[in-house]
Amino acid sequence: MSTIAMPKPDARILAEAPQIIAALRDALPAGTVISDPEETRAYECDALTAYRCPPIAVVLPRTTEEVATAMRICQRFSVPVVPRGAGTSLAGGALPTADSVVIATIRLREILEIDTTNRFIRVQTGVTNLSVSAELEAEGFFYAPDPSSQLACTIAGNIAMNSGGAHCLKYGVTTNNLMGVRCVLTDGEIVEVGGPFMDSGGLDILGLLCGSEGQLAIVTEATLRIVPKPEDARPMLIGFDSAETAGECVARIIRSGLIPVAIEYMDDVCLRAIEAFAKTDYPKCAAVLIVEVEGSQGEIAHQIERIREIADELSPVEFRSSRNKDESLAIWKGRKSAFGAMGRLGDYLCLDGTVPVSKLPYTLKRIGELSKHYGLEVANVFHAGDGNMHPLILFNANAPGELERAEAYGADILRLCVDVGGCLTGEHGVGIEKRDLMSKQYSAEDMAIQMDIKDVFDPDWLLNPAKVFPLDVSQPYRDRASRS
Amino acid sequence: MSTIAMPKPDARILAEAPQIIAALRDALPAGTVISDPEETRAYECDALTAYRCPPIAVVLPRTTEEVATAMRICQRFSVPVVPRGAGTSLAGGALPTADSVVIATIRLREILEIDTTNRFIRVQTGVTNLSVSAELEAEGFFYAPDPSSQLACTIAGNIAMNSGGAHCLKYGVTTNNLMGVRCVLTDGEIVEVGGPFMDSGGLDILGLLCGSEGQLAIVTEATLRIVPKPEDARPMLIGFDSAETAGECVARIIRSGLIPVAIEYMDDVCLRAIEAFAKTDYPKCAAVLIVEVEGSQGEIAHQIERIREIADELSPVEFRSSRNKDESLAIWKGRKSAFGAMGRLGDYLCLDGTVPVSKLPYTLKRIGELSKHYGLEVANVFHAGDGNMHPLILFNANAPGELERAEAYGADILRLCVDVGGCLTGEHGVGIEKRDLMSKQYSAEDMAIQMDIKDVFDPDWLLNPAKVFPLDVSQPYRDRASRS
């Protein structure tokens, strides 16, 4: 049992499923369309596994033109399309409906062009985030946004969700690193937007596509900005005996004008889970920060010195800076294993609310109070430098009512984030998970503008159904679309 | 005589002008509405002075609510509204039509909030670009985008045009430094978008507003990201005996992975003009680069050393790096006076085409060839690091036919930029100047999407008439709007 409502599947589409599948099969190369329930099972959910639904069929194109062919057929049958990257969305961004066709980008795997002079790489969007940086390694460049799922997640998904990552404090999120796309509109038209140059005049369609969660188009190729690798990077580990002091330390580092590459925060629940899972020598305390700086050796030494001064004023229980590669790995080891460690404690919901950095101490305190109220444990492990919190609510999926309680607690945390001047999502997107909270963040007027824009790109409301916009709010648009 | 067509003013509006002015006067504080031709003259053009037209009236509000009141009245009378900052647009972005009301933001001058912990400043958008950084000086922060007109231009104009500047190579343009806005829609509704936090889910309306050239809304308040001032910054001057070699040096610096704050390029025509105007000791050669690096002293020394190595391989006629503040000022002096120096040579059109960095040498060569073809001299002075060219076409406005010839030459240069994989505008916007070239950059499908989005925000097509979209292309939209 779960609490997020999905619309009733369209009986007309279910009845026409055999013809839809046949039309897709006829138009596309063998092996591109799968509809056997055994095979489509892998696509019935993403990383928000509490919600599952098999689609009518899954299309796995290898070219932009094949995506366009599939889109044209889906439009002809008025069948909803769920775009999908690697399916690592934590927000249910790629959850199918029973009356939908999934178009996945995972076979769009070509690296099309690397140009270090003009500082871009052009790829098909089914390539994984990490393999983009791997391609650039020999040239001394990398692609900056680095979601935790970077080994699996695709550029298509990164663009859809405007993904971030630990490096984004310094380098910005996906939208700051995306220069151009090739995409397929709902009528099968192929459009190029942007390219390897600055701002190009007219309305910023590229910015609009980035983070649009598959509501506007399917992006099949992307031109990504690449960044030179720094000479070196070194982490520090700073332990505090109170969450509030750790939050204050983050605020003071940011205020000082330093720009570390990453400031990661782990609380005591998280630290205990890590301790039980991976052997680390993290201090036993209320909160640990990992602060990483980069640059030349001189610059690194200078930044470490300044951060040590800032931390010292707050009497940390431990301050340790890495002196070599092994020590760096040891400092990062626990943080990197945090989500795995947490998984061993049971099921969890991973939230993504974001708050102004100065509100971190207060928000952490309130999350703790709410934890007692709901009787559910919470672990906090997140990108503190930009206020992007990832509270993990621990629950037992087999205990009746616990998922619902966890979801209610999660919703309260996200409302809290908005109330202190933050927002619902920093990097995971809205998906189905935060859909019904959108009215908390946006005024009716603002949401109407967003849906009017969706209407421009997708007048039939076929793309990625039941995501982003609350069902009641989008009802008039969907009614109008189905009548036209 | 000039070549860019403007639509015929609406006789109905001209006839109703007295009532429109009276309604605005009634609703707004004394002194807010001016309509005396002597007073409105200052608003009849922007920095594209070849085009002039007095509006019906100019409204100078002091609050967002006053902007909303003016917008509601203009909507009631179906009168076009021209939003205006300081009027420094080089693209005619704030040119009135005879049947329009100008709403200028220059009296919206309040600094609302400075928050160094959360790294933002919130301002009314009539504050000038430079005064934002001046407000932050004592705190050790600054606002990065720095258009050449920064002493005069307003944040409202910067947002409308997505302005750049010399520092943007490192820090990005306006859209990368804008966190939120408060704006007024055509129906007078006041909407808040974004705020002092990361990405907030839903469609990226903030990105859409930035660079929309007053086509969607009037932005009255802005939350801007602020950046810590580096410890120091130092320029180098590098002279070459060929434009091509200078272009190659830019490409090699970028490819090396270094990120200077600025790479500015000046060609021989520009250098001669500067020499006659300001006493500098620039070398007499085909092209001079000014490359500025910043950071700690160690980092600066390290970057200068690497750039010297790169330059040395290309046998520069001179390589000079600043050793102190006076030498830095001396190196920048000529570049800072380039536009003034050029103005003394006669009238000029300043273009804004942008090309991939690797295409700079070829593009410069073609611009030179076209200069001979049109019989008009051209000076090149521009932000080379991001390929944002500013060819200045010199002409005599009093010689019959020369403006038309200069505009034709300019259009050819912009077509060339698009042909080599670049775009029409890097930071000045489309305005009226590049309006009729938009079809060169964008497909019909792409332009239709942009106009559909304009329709969402401004269904009556009242905002900033005759800009951005070619008149013939937007005709069906405007016809539909006037019928409704």
Side-chain angles (χ1 to χ4, degrees):
Chain A
M1 227 2 251
S2 47
T3 60
I4 301 166
M6 294 298 280
K8 217 169 77 90
D10 185 328
R12 191 264 309 160
I13 296 172
L14 297 180
E16 285 179 8
Q19 292 95 297
I20 296 167
I21 294 167
L24 289 167
R25 285 239 162 81
D26 278 358
L28 293 163
T32 306
V33 181
I34 60 179
S35 61
D36 180 330
E38 281 304 308
E39 290 182 281
T40 59
R41 182 154 307 152
Y43 299 88
E44 70 182 30
C45 72
D46 55 28
L48 187 71
T49 53
Y51 295 83
R52 291 168 188 272
C53 178
I56 293 173
V58 177
V59 183
L60 300 163
R62 290 180 196 276
T63 66
T64 301
E65 289 67 27
E66 288 175 13
V67 172
T69 300
M71 285 282 263
R72 266 194 302 272
I73 292 167
C74 290
Q75 200 198 33
R76 174 146 56 87
F77 284 95
S78 282
V79 58
V81 169
V82 176
R84 181 184 171 102
T88 55
S89 171
L90 290 160
L95 177 70
T97 54
D99 54 7
S100 71
V101 167
V102 169
I103 301 183
T105 58
I106 39 166
R107 286 187 184 163
L108 293 158
R109 304 205 81 120
E110 250 185 280
I111 305 289
L112 301 166
E113 191 179 0
I114 294 176
D115 183 333
T116 53
T117 306
N118 297 308
R119 286 202 182 160
F120 71 85
I121 183 168
R122 200 160 54 84
V123 300
Q124 282 190 316
T125 56
V127 300
T128 62
N129 175 288
L130 197 60
S131 67
V132 173
S133 286
E135 287 288 334
L136 298 163
E137 176 106 45
E139 315 274 356
F141 284 81
F142 72 107
Y143 174 61
D146 57 342
S148 299
S149 58
Q150 65 180 148
L151 196 65
C153 67
T154 64
I155 295 299
N158 291 178
I159 293 171
M161 294 314 199
N162 190 19
S163 300
H167 273 76
C168 291
L169 178 56
K170 177 162 177 181
Y171 293 105
V173 293
T174 302
T175 194
N176 305 119
N177 294 277
L178 180 66
M179 304 173 80
V181 297
R182 190 166 188 225
C183 63
V184 178
L185 304 178
T186 44
D187 59 2
E189 194 82 25
I190 297 169
V191 173
E192 311 259 352
V193 186
F197 44 75
M198 292 174 74
D199 174 40
S200 57
L203 297 181
D204 183 13
I205 306 298
L206 182 65
L208 197 58
L209 288 169
C210 189
S212 64
E213 305 200 14
Q215 292 292 317
L216 306 183
I218 297 187
V219 175
T220 57
E221 289 180 20
T223 303
L224 308 172
R225 183 174 296 291
I226 61 178
V227 182
K229 284 207 308 204
E231 195 181 309
D232 200 1
R234 295 236 308 272
M236 285 151 269
L237 182 153
I238 319 175
F240 290 98
D241 55 14
S242 97
E244 203 143 351
T245 316
E248 178 61 25
C249 184
V250 174
R252 290 194 189 182
I253 291 171
I254 297 291
R255 198 163 53 219
S256 75
L258 289 165
I259 305 184
V261 196
I263 304 181
E264 298 289 303
Y265 178 106
M266 289 166 284
D267 74 1
D268 52 349
V269 178
C270 175
L271 291 169
R272 283 199 304 272
I274 290 171
E275 191 57 35
F277 178 69
K279 280 287 145 260
T280 65
D281 56 351
Y282 284 5
K284 285 176 187 45
C285 58
V288 159
L289 299 178
I290 297 179
V291 183
E292 182 155 287
V293 294
E294 66 175 27
S296 62
Q297 294 305 339
E299 202 188 346
I300 287 174
H302 173 76
Q303 291 178 84
I304 290 178
E305 201 36 50
R306 287 195 55 196
I307 289 169
R308 183 194 296 274
E309 285 165 20
I310 292 168
D312 276 354
E313 284 170 19
L314 295 165
S315 313
V317 299
E318 178 156 351
F319 182 99
R320 187 194 311 167
S321 72
S322 158
R323 284 161 305 184
N324 55 50
K325 201 157 183 125
D326 285 343
E327 290 185 7
S328 295
L329 287 173
I331 287 178
W332 273 111
K333 186 180 174 197
R335 173 62 183 88
K336 298 261 183 198
S337 66
F339 284 73
M342 229 63 76
R344 296 220 317 178
L345 297 186
D347 305 296
Y348 62 77
L349 275 187
C350 173
L351 305 179
D352 183 41
T354 296
V355 300
V357 171
S358 63
K359 298 289 166 53
L360 280 173
Y362 170 76
T363 311
L364 286 167
K365 192 171 121 252
R366 279 294 297 149
I367 289 174
E369 290 164 6
L370 287 166
S371 162
K372 291 201 188 79
H373 172 77
Y374 280 97
L376 290 171
E377 205 163 31
V378 68
N380 287 292
V381 43
F382 60 94
H383 314 315
D386 45 23
N388 185 195
M389 307 187 76
H390 291 311
L392 296 180
I393 300 173
L394 303 169
F395 69 101
N396 177 356
N398 296 320
E402 280 223 358
L403 170 61
E404 289 73 8
R405 200 137 46 90
E407 287 182 341
Y409 179 16
D412 268 0
I413 291 177
L414 295 180
R415 283 190 203 100
L416 167 65
C417 290
V418 174
D419 285 336
V420 301
C423 65
L424 297 176
T425 173
E427 57 187 17
H428 295 174
V430 177
I432 61 161
E433 184 207 14
K434 290 172 279 278
R435 186 191 70 196
D436 297 328
L437 288 168
M438 283 285 277
S439 308
K440 172 79 185 168
Q441 176 95 54
Y442 294 107
S443 69
E445 177 105 28
D446 194 330
M447 208 122 67
I449 290 176
Q450 296 189 40
M451 290 186 298
D452 285 344
I453 292 173
K454 155 95 170 159
D455 237 13
V456 166
F457 285 83
D458 181 20
D460 300 330
W461 281 66
L462 295 179
L463 276 172
N464 216 5
K467 318 294 188 319
V468 182
F469 303 110
L471 296 182
D472 54 340
V473 172
S474 65
Q475 189 74 51
Y477 288 83
R478 289 180 291 122
D479 286 347
R480 204 167 55 211
S482 64
R483 270 201 314 277
S484 70
Chain B
M1 230 0 254
S2 47
T3 61
I4 300 166
M6 294 299 280
K8 216 168 79 86
D10 185 327
R12 191 264 309 161
I13 296 172
L14 297 181
E16 286 179 8
Q19 292 95 297
I20 296 167
I21 294 167
L24 289 167
R25 285 239 162 84
D26 277 358
L28 292 162
T32 305
V33 181
I34 59 179
S35 61
D36 179 332
E38 281 304 306
E39 289 182 282
T40 59
R41 182 154 306 151
Y43 299 88
E44 69 182 30
C45 72
D46 55 26
L48 187 70
T49 53
Y51 294 83
R52 291 170 188 271
C53 177
I56 293 173
V58 177
V59 183
L60 300 164
R62 290 181 195 277
T63 66
T64 302
E65 289 65 29
E66 288 176 13
V67 173
T69 300
M71 286 280 264
R72 267 194 300 273
I73 292 168
C74 290
Q75 199 197 34
R76 175 146 56 86
F77 284 95
S78 281
V79 58
V81 170
V82 175
R84 181 185 172 103
T88 56
S89 170
L90 290 160
L95 177 70
T97 54
D99 55 6
S100 71
V101 166
V102 169
I103 301 182
T105 58
I106 40 166
R107 285 188 184 161
L108 293 158
R109 305 205 80 120
E110 249 185 282
I111 304 290
L112 301 165
E113 191 178 1
I114 294 177
D115 183 334
T116 53
T117 307
N118 297 307
R119 286 201 181 161
F120 70 85
I121 183 169
R122 198 160 56 84
V123 299
Q124 283 191 316
T125 55
V127 300
T128 63
N129 176 288
L130 196 60
S131 67
V132 173
S133 287
E135 287 290 333
L136 297 163
E137 176 106 46
E139 314 275 356
F141 284 81
F142 71 107
Y143 174 62
D146 57 343
S148 298
S149 57
Q150 66 181 148
L151 196 65
C153 68
T154 64
I155 294 299
N158 293 178
I159 293 170
M161 294 314 200
N162 189 18
S163 301
H167 273 76
C168 291
L169 177 58
K170 177 160 178 181
Y171 293 104
V173 293
T174 302
T175 195
N176 306 119
N177 294 277
L178 180 67
M179 305 174 81
V181 297
R182 190 165 189 227
C183 63
V184 179
L185 304 178
T186 45
D187 59 1
E189 194 83 25
I190 297 168
V191 173
E192 310 259 351
V193 185
F197 44 74
M198 293 175 74
D199 175 40
S200 57
L203 298 180
D204 182 14
I205 306 298
L206 183 64
L208 197 58
L209 288 170
C210 189
S212 64
E213 306 201 15
Q215 292 293 316
L216 306 183
I218 297 187
V219 175
T220 57
E221 287 180 21
T223 304
L224 307 171
R225 183 174 295 293
I226 61 177
V227 181
K229 283 207 309 203
E231 194 179 312
D232 201 1
R234 293 231 315 265
M236 285 152 268
L237 180 153
I238 320 175
F240 290 99
D241 56 14
S242 97
E244 203 142 351
T245 315
E248 177 61 26
C249 184
V250 174
R252 291 194 188 181
I253 290 171
I254 297 293
R255 197 162 55 219
S256 75
L258 289 164
I259 306 184
V261 195
I263 305 183
E264 297 289 303
Y265 178 107
M266 288 166 283
D267 73 0
D268 52 348
V269 178
C270 175
L271 291 168
R272 283 200 304 272
I274 291 172
E275 191 58 34
F277 179 69
K279 279 289 144 259
T280 65
D281 56 351
Y282 284 5
K284 285 177 189 46
C285 59
V288 159
L289 300 178
I290 297 178
V291 184
E292 182 154 288
V293 295
E294 65 174 28
S296 62
Q297 295 306 337
E299 202 189 346
I300 287 174
H302 173 75
Q303 291 180 84
I304 290 177
E305 201 37 50
R306 286 195 56 196
I307 289 169
R308 185 195 295 274
E309 284 165 22
I310 291 168
D312 276 353
E313 285 170 20
L314 295 164
S315 312
V317 299
E318 178 156 352
F319 182 100
R320 187 195 311 167
S321 71
S322 158
R323 286 161 303 184
N324 55 49
K325 202 157 183 129
D326 285 342
E327 289 185 6
S328 295
L329 287 174
I331 286 177
W332 273 112
K333 187 182 174 196
R335 172 64 183 88
K336 297 263 182 195
S337 65
F339 284 72
M342 229 63 76
R344 296 221 317 178
L345 298 184
D347 304 297
Y348 62 78
L349 275 188
C350 173
L351 305 179
D352 183 41
T354 297
V355 300
V357 171
S358 64
K359 297 291 165 55
L360 280 174
Y362 171 77
T363 311
L364 286 167
K365 192 170 119 254
R366 281 293 298 149
I367 289 174
E369 290 164 5
L370 287 167
S371 162
K372 290 199 189 79
H373 172 77
Y374 281 98
L376 290 171
E377 205 163 31
V378 68
N380 286 292
V381 44
F382 60 93
H383 314 315
D386 45 24
N388 186 195
M389 309 187 76
H390 291 312
L392 295 180
I393 300 173
L394 303 169
F395 70 100
N396 177 355
N398 295 319
E402 279 223 358
L403 170 62
E404 290 72 7
R405 200 135 49 89
E407 287 182 341
Y409 178 18
D412 268 1
I413 291 177
L414 295 180
R415 286 190 200 98
L416 167 66
C417 290
V418 174
D419 285 337
V420 302
C423 65
L424 298 176
T425 173
E427 57 186 18
H428 296 173
V430 177
I432 59 161
E433 184 207 14
K434 292 173 276 279
R435 186 191 70 198
D436 297 329
L437 288 166
M438 284 284 278
S439 307
K440 171 78 184 169
Q441 175 96 51
Y442 294 107
S443 69
E445 178 106 27
D446 194 330
M447 208 121 66
I449 290 176
Q450 295 189 40
M451 290 186 298
D452 286 345
I453 292 172
K454 156 91 171 162
D455 239 12
V456 166
F457 284 82
D458 181 19
D460 300 329
W461 281 67
L462 295 180
L463 275 172
N464 216 6
K467 317 295 186 324
V468 182
F469 303 110
L471 295 182
D472 54 339
V473 172
S474 65
Q475 188 74 53
Y477 287 83
R478 289 179 291 123
D479 286 349
R480 203 167 56 211
S482 64
R483 270 202 312 279
S484 70

